[in-house]
Amino acid sequence: ILNVEQSPQSLHVQEGDSTNFTCSFPSSNFYALHWYRWETAKSPEALFVMTLNGDEKKKGRISATLNTKEGYSYLYIKGSQPEDSATYLCAFMVNRDDKIIFGKGTRLHILP
Amino acid sequence: GAGVSQSPSNKVTEKGKDVELRCDPISGHTALYWYRQSLGQGLEFLIYFQGNSAPDKSGLPSDRFSAERTGGSVSTLTIQRTQQEDSAVYLCASSFSSTGNTIYFGEGSWLTVV
């Protein structure tokens, strides 16, 4: 059974502080790793798709790194803002033409 | 359409009744996914389609659940003899192919079984 683990489950961060959280996945048969942001009452929104070991992607204040050999990815948020409050999901893909398995997410609360 | 469209957006049904949830993917997307999220849980994989075929049905929770996709486009998820534990938001997503490309989600169908 493929397992995608995210930690922490929940996180409270002061506005303006930077933060990061982790996604762990099986390191064998890696194909792609996705990050999504899911705000309450909206549909999940794609942030990044990463496929290569050592990949680093950036979108504004949010960035992500990927280590496929050890099976983890970090998501970083610099200078947290209230609009960053959401659940951040990572999802793992084993092979081409295969299903995408999601972790349970990290729920981020930004404190004013 | 511009995005993934799901209907109904909300459904309240009595225990034991059948329900059908519909997903209209983004035009041209060959891969289509169904997930659900129950209260307090993460996104649970149900089934995915590549074209009209479903290579992996392993996530369907029981034989009361079935899904089909016709014409490589619209998909229907059917839940027979609904139970209270079926209450969840059912999310559909699509992508150009299941090759690592970004998947795009609909807004979900919120199902409540009373």
Coordinates of all heavy atoms in Angstrom, one line a residue, chain A residues 22-95:
Chain A
T22 N 6.6 19.1 5.6 CA 7.3 18.0 4.9 C 6.3 17.0 4.3 O 5.2 16.8 4.8 CB 8.1 17.2 5.9 OG1 8.9 18.1 6.6 CG2 8.9 16.1 5.2
C23 N 6.6 16.5 3.2 CA 5.9 15.4 2.6 C 6.9 14.2 2.4 O 8.0 14.4 1.8 CB 5.3 15.8 1.2 SG 4.6 14.5 0.3
S24 N 6.6 13.0 2.9 CA 7.4 11.8 2.7 C 6.6 10.8 1.8 O 5.4 10.6 2.0 CB 7.7 11.2 4.1 OG 8.3 12.1 4.9
F25 N 7.4 10.2 1.0 CA 6.8 9.2 0.0 C 7.8 8.1 -0.2 O 9.0 8.2 0.1 CB 6.4 10.0 -1.3 CG 7.6 10.7 -1.9 CD1 8.5 10.1 -2.7 CD2 7.7 12.1 -1.6 CE1 9.5 10.8 -3.3 CE2 8.8 12.8 -2.1 CZ 9.7 12.2 -3.0
P26 N 7.3 7.0 -0.8 CA 8.2 5.9 -1.1 C 9.2 6.3 -2.1 O 8.9 6.9 -3.1 CB 7.2 4.8 -1.7 CG 5.9 5.2 -1.2 CD 5.9 6.7 -1.1
S27 N 10.5 6.0 -1.9 CA 11.5 6.5 -2.8 C 11.7 5.6 -4.0 O 12.4 5.9 -4.9 CB 12.9 6.6 -2.0 OG 13.2 5.4 -1.4
S28 N 11.1 4.4 -4.0 CA 11.2 3.5 -5.2 C 10.1 3.8 -6.2 O 9.0 4.2 -5.8 CB 11.2 2.1 -4.7 OG 10.0 1.8 -4.0
N29 N 10.4 3.7 -7.4 CA 9.4 3.8 -8.5 C 8.8 5.2 -8.5 O 7.6 5.3 -8.7 CB 8.3 2.8 -8.4 CG 8.9 1.4 -8.6 OD1 9.7 1.2 -9.4 ND2 8.4 0.5 -7.8
F30 N 9.6 6.2 -8.3 CA 9.1 7.6 -8.3 C 8.8 8.1 -9.7 O 9.6 7.9 -10.6 CB 10.1 8.5 -7.6 CG 9.7 10.0 -7.6 CD1 8.8 10.5 -6.7 CD2 10.1 10.8 -8.6 CE1 8.4 11.8 -6.8 CE2 9.7 12.1 -8.7 CZ 8.9 12.6 -7.8
Y31 N 7.7 8.8 -9.8 CA 7.4 9.4 -11.1 C 7.2 10.9 -11.0 O 7.8 11.7 -11.7 CB 6.2 8.8 -11.8 CG 6.1 9.2 -13.3 CD1 6.9 8.7 -14.3 CD2 5.3 10.3 -13.6 CE1 6.9 9.1 -15.6 CE2 5.3 10.8 -14.9 CZ 6.0 10.2 -15.9 OH 6.0 10.7 -17.2
A32 N 6.4 11.3 -10.1 CA 6.1 12.8 -9.9 C 5.6 13.1 -8.5 O 5.0 12.2 -7.9 CB 5.1 13.3 -11.0
L33 N 5.8 14.3 -8.1 CA 5.3 14.7 -6.8 C 4.6 16.1 -7.0 O 5.1 17.0 -7.7 CB 6.5 14.9 -5.8 CG 6.3 15.1 -4.3 CD1 5.8 16.5 -4.0 CD2 5.4 14.1 -3.7
H34 N 3.4 16.1 -6.5 CA 2.5 17.3 -6.7 C 2.3 18.0 -5.4 O 2.2 17.3 -4.3 CB 1.2 17.0 -7.2 CG 1.1 16.3 -8.6 ND1 0.2 16.7 -9.6 CD2 1.8 15.3 -9.1 CE1 0.4 15.9 -10.6 NE2 1.4 15.0 -10.4
W35 N 2.2 19.4 -5.4 CA 1.8 20.1 -4.2 C 0.5 20.9 -4.6 O 0.5 21.5 -5.7 CB 2.8 21.1 -3.7 CG 3.9 20.5 -2.9 CD1 5.2 20.2 -3.3 CD2 3.8 20.2 -1.5 NE1 5.9 19.6 -2.2 CE2 5.1 19.7 -1.1 CE3 2.8 20.3 -0.5 CZ2 5.4 19.2 0.2 CZ3 3.1 19.9 0.8 CH2 4.3 19.4 1.1
Y36 N -0.5 20.9 -3.7 CA -1.7 21.6 -3.9 C -2.1 22.4 -2.7 O -1.7 22.0 -1.6 CB -2.9 20.7 -4.2 CG -2.8 20.0 -5.5 CD1 -2.0 18.9 -5.7 CD2 -3.5 20.5 -6.6 CE1 -1.9 18.2 -6.9 CE2 -3.4 19.8 -7.9 CZ -2.6 18.7 -8.0 OH -2.5 18.1 -9.2
R37 N -2.8 23.5 -2.9 CA -3.3 24.3 -1.8 C -4.8 24.2 -1.9 O -5.4 24.4 -2.9 CB -2.9 25.8 -1.9 CG -3.6 26.7 -0.9 CD -3.0 28.1 -0.8 NE -3.1 28.7 -2.1 CZ -2.3 29.7 -2.5 NH1 -1.3 30.1 -1.7 NH2 -2.5 30.3 -3.7
W38 N -5.4 23.9 -0.7 CA -6.9 23.7 -0.6 C -7.4 24.7 0.4 O -7.3 24.4 1.6 CB -7.2 22.3 -0.3 CG -8.6 21.9 -0.5 CD1 -9.6 22.6 -1.0 CD2 -9.2 20.6 -0.2 NE1 -10.8 21.9 -1.1 CE2 -10.5 20.7 -0.6 CE3 -8.7 19.4 0.3 CZ2 -11.4 19.6 -0.5 CZ3 -9.6 18.3 0.4 CH2 -10.9 18.4 0.0
E39 N -8.1 25.7 -0.1 CA -8.8 26.6 0.8 C -10.2 26.2 1.1 O -10.8 25.6 0.2 CB -8.8 28.0 0.2 CG -7.4 28.6 0.0 CD -7.5 30.0 -0.6 OE1 -8.0 30.9 0.0 OE2 -7.0 30.2 -1.8
T40 N -10.7 26.5 2.2 CA -12.0 26.1 2.6 C -13.0 26.6 1.6 O -12.9 27.7 1.1 CB -12.4 26.7 4.0 OG1 -11.4 26.3 4.9 CG2 -13.7 26.2 4.5
A41 N -14.0 25.7 1.2 CA -15.1 26.1 0.3 C -14.6 26.3 -1.1 O -15.3 26.8 -2.0 CB -15.9 27.3 0.8
K42 N -13.4 25.9 -1.4 CA -12.9 26.0 -2.8 C -12.3 24.6 -3.2 O -12.2 23.7 -2.4 CB -11.8 27.1 -2.9 CG -12.2 28.5 -2.6 CD -11.1 29.5 -2.9 CE -11.6 30.9 -2.6 NZ -10.5 31.9 -2.9
S43 N -12.0 24.5 -4.5 CA -11.3 23.2 -4.9 C -9.8 23.4 -4.8 O -9.3 24.4 -4.8 CB -11.7 22.9 -6.4 OG -11.6 24.0 -7.2
P44 N -9.1 22.2 -4.6 CA -7.7 22.3 -4.5 C -7.1 22.9 -5.8 O -7.5 22.7 -6.9 CB -7.3 20.8 -4.4 CG -8.5 20.1 -3.9 CD -9.7 20.9 -4.5
E45 N -6.0 23.7 -5.5 CA -5.4 24.5 -6.6 C -3.9 24.0 -6.7 O -3.2 23.9 -5.7 CB -5.4 25.9 -6.2 CG -4.6 26.9 -7.1 CD -4.4 28.2 -6.5 OE1 -4.8 28.4 -5.3 OE2 -3.7 29.0 -7.1
A46 N -3.5 23.7 -7.9 CA -2.1 23.2 -8.1 C -1.1 24.3 -7.8 O -1.3 25.4 -8.2 CB -2.0 22.7 -9.5
L47 N -0.1 23.9 -7.1 CA 1.1 24.7 -6.8 C 2.3 24.3 -7.7 O 2.8 25.1 -8.5 CB 1.5 24.7 -5.4 CG 0.5 25.4 -4.4 CD1 1.0 25.1 -2.9 CD2 0.4 26.9 -4.6
F48 N 2.7 23.1 -7.5 CA 3.9 22.6 -8.2 C 3.7 21.1 -8.6 O 3.0 20.4 -8.0 CB 5.1 22.7 -7.3 CG 5.4 24.0 -6.7 CD1 5.3 24.2 -5.3 CD2 5.8 25.1 -7.5 CE1 5.5 25.4 -4.8 CE2 6.0 26.3 -6.9 CZ 5.9 26.5 -5.6
V49 N 4.3 20.8 -9.8 CA 4.6 19.4 -10.1 C 6.0 19.2 -10.3 O 6.7 20.0 -11.1 CB 3.8 19.0 -11.4 CG1 4.1 17.5 -11.8 CG2 2.3 19.2 -11.3
M50 N 6.6 18.3 -9.6 CA 8.1 18.1 -9.6 C 8.4 16.6 -10.0 O 7.7 15.7 -9.5 CB 8.7 18.4 -8.3 CG 8.6 19.9 -8.0 SD 9.5 20.4 -6.5 CE 8.4 19.7 -5.3
T51 N 9.4 16.5 -10.9 CA 9.7 15.1 -11.4 C 11.1 14.7 -11.2 O 11.5 13.5 -11.2 CB 9.3 15.0 -12.9 OG1 10.0 16.0 -13.6 CG2 7.8 15.2 -13.1
L52 N 12.0 15.7 -11.0 CA 13.5 15.3 -11.0 C 14.1 15.5 -9.6 O 13.8 16.5 -8.9 CB 14.2 16.3 -12.0 CG 13.8 16.1 -13.5 CD1 14.6 17.2 -14.3 CD2 14.1 14.7 -14.0
N53 N 14.9 14.6 -9.2 CA 15.6 14.7 -8.0 C 16.4 16.0 -7.9 O 17.1 16.4 -8.9 CB 16.6 13.6 -7.8 CG 17.2 13.6 -6.4 OD1 16.6 13.9 -5.4 ND2 18.5 13.3 -6.4
G54 N 16.3 16.8 -6.8 CA 16.9 18.0 -6.7 C 16.2 19.2 -7.3 O 16.6 20.4 -7.1
D55 N 15.0 18.9 -7.9 CA 14.1 20.0 -8.4 C 13.8 21.0 -7.3 O 13.6 20.7 -6.1 CB 12.8 19.4 -8.8 CG 12.6 19.5 -10.3 OD1 13.4 20.1 -11.0 OD2 11.5 19.0 -10.8
E56 N 13.8 22.3 -7.7 CA 13.4 23.3 -6.8 C 12.4 24.2 -7.6 O 12.8 24.6 -8.7 CB 14.5 24.2 -6.3 CG 15.4 23.5 -5.2 CD 16.4 24.5 -4.6 OE1 16.1 25.7 -4.4 OE2 17.5 24.0 -4.2
K57 N 11.2 24.5 -7.0 CA 10.3 25.3 -7.8 C 9.8 26.4 -6.9 O 9.8 26.3 -5.7 CB 9.1 24.5 -8.2 CG 9.4 23.3 -9.1 CD 8.7 23.5 -10.5 CE 9.2 22.4 -11.4 NZ 8.3 22.1 -12.5
K58 N 9.5 27.6 -7.5 CA 9.1 28.7 -6.7 C 7.9 29.4 -7.4 O 7.9 29.5 -8.6 CB 10.3 29.7 -6.6 CG 10.1 30.8 -5.7 CD 11.3 31.7 -5.5 CE 11.0 32.8 -4.6 NZ 12.1 33.7 -4.4
K59 N 7.0 29.9 -6.5 CA 5.9 30.7 -7.0 C 5.6 31.7 -6.0 O 5.0 31.5 -5.0 CB 4.7 29.7 -7.2 CG 3.4 30.3 -7.8 CD 2.4 29.2 -7.9 CE 1.1 29.6 -8.6 NZ 0.2 28.5 -8.8
G60 N 6.1 32.9 -6.3 CA 5.9 34.0 -5.3 C 6.7 33.7 -4.1 O 7.9 33.5 -4.1
R61 N 6.0 33.7 -2.9 CA 6.7 33.5 -1.6 C 6.7 32.0 -1.3 O 7.2 31.6 -0.2 CB 5.9 34.2 -0.5 CG 5.9 35.8 -0.7 CD 5.1 36.4 0.4 NE 3.7 36.2 0.3 CZ 3.0 35.3 0.9 NH1 3.6 34.5 1.9 NH2 1.7 35.2 0.7
I62 N 6.2 31.2 -2.2 CA 6.1 29.7 -1.9 C 7.1 29.0 -2.8 O 7.3 29.3 -3.9 CB 4.7 29.2 -2.1 CG1 3.7 29.9 -1.3 CG2 4.7 27.7 -1.8 CD1 2.3 29.5 -1.6
S63 N 7.9 28.1 -2.2 CA 8.8 27.3 -2.9 C 8.8 25.9 -2.4 O 8.3 25.6 -1.3 CB 10.2 27.9 -2.8 OG 10.7 27.9 -1.5
A64 N 9.3 25.0 -3.2 CA 9.4 23.5 -2.9 C 10.6 22.9 -3.4 O 11.2 23.3 -4.4 CB 8.1 22.8 -3.4
T65 N 11.1 21.9 -2.6 CA 12.3 21.1 -3.0 C 11.9 19.7 -3.1 O 10.9 19.2 -2.4 CB 13.4 21.3 -2.0 OG1 13.0 20.9 -0.7 CG2 13.9 22.8 -2.0
L66 N 12.7 18.9 -3.8 CA 12.4 17.5 -3.9 C 13.7 16.6 -3.8 O 14.7 16.9 -4.4 CB 11.8 17.2 -5.3 CG 11.4 15.8 -5.7 CD1 10.3 15.3 -4.8 CD2 11.0 15.7 -7.2
N67 N 13.6 15.6 -3.0 CA 14.6 14.6 -2.9 C 14.0 13.2 -3.1 O 13.4 12.7 -2.2 CB 15.3 14.7 -1.5 CG 16.5 13.7 -1.3 OD1 16.5 12.6 -1.9 ND2 17.5 14.2 -0.6
T68 N 14.2 12.7 -4.3 CA 13.6 11.4 -4.7 C 14.4 10.3 -4.1 O 13.8 9.2 -3.9 CB 13.5 11.3 -6.2 OG1 14.8 11.3 -6.8 CG2 12.6 12.4 -6.8
K69 N 15.7 10.5 -3.8 CA 16.5 9.3 -3.3 C 16.1 9.0 -1.9 O 16.0 7.8 -1.5 CB 17.9 9.7 -3.4 CG 18.5 9.8 -4.8 CD 20.0 10.0 -4.9 CE 20.5 10.3 -6.3 NZ 20.0 9.4 -7.3
E70 N 15.8 10.0 -1.1 CA 15.4 9.7 0.3 C 13.9 9.8 0.5 O 13.4 9.6 1.6 CB 16.1 10.7 1.2 CG 17.6 10.4 1.2 CD 18.4 11.4 2.1 OE1 18.0 11.6 3.2 OE2 19.4 11.9 1.7
G71 N 13.2 10.2 -0.5 CA 11.7 10.2 -0.5 C 11.1 11.3 0.3 O 10.2 11.1 1.2
Y72 N 11.5 12.6 0.1 CA 10.8 13.7 0.8 C 10.8 14.9 -0.1 O 11.6 15.1 -1.0 CB 11.4 14.0 2.2 CG 12.8 14.5 2.2 CD1 13.1 15.8 2.0 CD2 13.9 13.6 2.4 CE1 14.4 16.3 2.0 CE2 15.2 14.0 2.4 CZ 15.5 15.4 2.2 OH 16.8 15.8 2.2
S73 N 9.8 15.8 0.2 CA 9.7 17.1 -0.4 C 9.4 18.1 0.7 O 8.6 17.8 1.6 CB 8.7 17.1 -1.5 OG 8.5 18.4 -2.0
Y74 N 10.0 19.3 0.6 CA 9.6 20.4 1.6 C 8.9 21.5 0.8 O 9.2 21.8 -0.3 CB 10.9 21.0 2.2 CG 11.7 20.1 3.1 CD1 13.0 19.9 3.0 CD2 11.0 19.4 4.2 CE1 13.8 19.1 3.9 CE2 11.7 18.6 5.0 CZ 13.1 18.5 4.9 OH 13.8 17.7 5.7
L75 N 7.9 22.0 1.5 CA 7.3 23.2 1.0 C 7.6 24.4 2.0 O 7.4 24.2 3.2 CB 5.7 23.1 0.9 CG 5.0 24.2 0.2 CD1 5.1 24.0 -1.3 CD2 3.5 24.2 0.6
Y76 N 8.1 25.5 1.4 CA 8.4 26.7 2.2 C 7.5 27.8 1.9 O 7.2 28.1 0.7 CB 9.9 27.1 1.9 CG 10.9 26.0 2.1 CD1 11.3 25.1 1.1 CD2 11.6 26.0 3.3 CE1 12.3 24.2 1.3 CE2 12.6 25.0 3.6 CZ 12.9 24.1 2.6 OH 13.9 23.2 2.8
I77 N 7.1 28.6 2.9 CA 6.4 29.8 2.7 C 7.2 30.9 3.5 O 7.4 30.8 4.7 CB 5.0 29.7 3.3 CG1 4.2 28.6 2.6 CG2 4.2 31.0 3.0 CD1 2.8 28.4 3.0
K78 N 7.5 31.9 2.7 CA 8.3 33.0 3.3 C 7.4 34.2 3.6 O 6.5 34.5 2.8 CB 9.3 33.4 2.2 CG 10.4 34.4 2.7 CD 11.4 34.7 1.6 CE 12.4 35.8 2.0 NZ 13.3 36.1 0.9
G79 N 7.6 34.7 4.8 CA 6.8 35.9 5.2 C 5.3 35.6 5.1 O 4.5 36.3 4.3
S80 N 4.8 34.7 5.9 CA 3.4 34.2 5.8 C 2.4 35.4 5.9 O 2.6 36.3 6.7 CB 3.1 33.3 7.0 OG 4.0 32.2 7.0
Q81 N 1.3 35.3 5.1 CA 0.3 36.2 5.1 C -1.1 35.5 5.4 O -1.2 34.3 5.2 CB 0.2 36.9 3.7 CG 1.4 37.6 3.3 CD 1.7 38.8 4.2 OE1 0.8 39.6 4.5 NE2 2.9 38.9 4.7
P82 N -2.1 36.3 5.8 CA -3.4 35.6 6.2 C -3.9 34.8 5.0 O -4.5 33.7 5.3 CB -4.3 36.8 6.5 CG -3.3 37.9 7.0 CD -2.1 37.7 6.2
E83 N -3.7 35.2 3.8 CA -4.3 34.5 2.7 C -3.6 33.1 2.4 O -4.0 32.3 1.6 CB -4.2 35.3 1.4 CG -2.8 35.7 0.9 CD -2.5 37.1 1.4 OE1 -3.0 37.6 2.5 OE2 -1.6 37.8 0.7
D84 N -2.5 32.9 3.2 CA -1.8 31.6 3.1 C -2.5 30.5 3.9 O -2.1 29.3 3.8 CB -0.3 31.7 3.5 CG 0.5 32.6 2.7 OD1 0.2 32.7 1.4 OD2 1.4 33.2 3.2
S85 N -3.4 30.9 4.7 CA -4.2 29.9 5.5 C -4.9 29.0 4.6 O -5.8 29.4 3.8 CB -5.1 30.6 6.5 OG -4.5 31.4 7.4
A86 N -4.6 27.7 4.7 CA -5.2 26.7 3.8 C -4.7 25.3 4.3 O -3.8 25.3 5.1 CB -4.8 27.0 2.4
T87 N -5.1 24.3 3.6 CA -4.5 23.0 3.8 C -3.6 22.7 2.6 O -4.1 22.9 1.4 CB -5.6 21.9 3.9 OG1 -6.4 22.1 5.0 CG2 -5.0 20.5 3.9
Y88 N -2.4 22.3 2.8 CA -1.4 22.1 1.8 C -1.3 20.5 1.6 O -0.9 19.8 2.5 CB -0.1 22.7 2.1 CG -0.2 24.2 2.0 CD1 -0.7 25.0 3.1 CD2 0.1 24.9 0.8 CE1 -0.9 26.3 3.0 CE2 0.0 26.3 0.7 CZ -0.6 27.0 1.8 OH -0.7 28.4 1.7
L89 N -1.6 20.1 0.4 CA -1.6 18.7 0.1 C -0.4 18.3 -0.8 O -0.1 19.0 -1.7 CB -2.9 18.3 -0.6 CG -4.2 18.5 0.1 CD1 -5.4 18.4 -0.9 CD2 -4.4 17.5 1.2
C90 N 0.2 17.2 -0.5 CA 1.1 16.7 -1.5 C 0.6 15.4 -2.0 O -0.2 14.7 -1.4 CB 2.5 16.5 -0.9 SG 2.8 15.1 0.0
A91 N 1.0 15.1 -3.2 CA 0.4 13.9 -3.9 C 1.6 13.2 -4.7 O 2.4 13.9 -5.3 CB -0.7 14.3 -4.9
F92 N 1.6 11.9 -4.7 CA 2.7 11.1 -5.3 C 2.2 10.2 -6.4 O 1.1 9.7 -6.3 CB 3.2 10.3 -4.1 CG 4.2 9.2 -4.5 CD1 5.4 9.5 -4.9 CD2 3.8 7.9 -4.4 CE1 6.4 8.6 -5.2 CE2 4.7 6.9 -4.7 CZ 6.0 7.2 -5.1
M93 N 3.0 10.1 -7.4 CA 2.7 9.3 -8.6 C 3.8 8.3 -8.8 O 5.0 8.7 -8.9 CB 2.5 10.2 -9.7 CG 1.8 9.7 -10.9 SD 1.5 11.0 -12.1 CE 0.5 10.2 -13.2
V94 N 3.4 7.0 -8.8 CA 4.5 6.0 -8.9 C 5.0 5.8 -10.4 O 6.2 5.8 -10.6 CB 3.9 4.7 -8.4 CG1 4.9 3.5 -8.7 CG2 3.6 4.8 -7.0
N95 N 4.1 5.7 -11.3 CA 4.5 5.4 -12.6 C 3.7 6.3 -13.6 O 2.6 6.8 -13.2 CB 4.2 3.9 -13.0 CG 5.0 3.0 -12.2 OD1 6.2 3.1 -12.3 ND2 4.4 2.0 -11.5

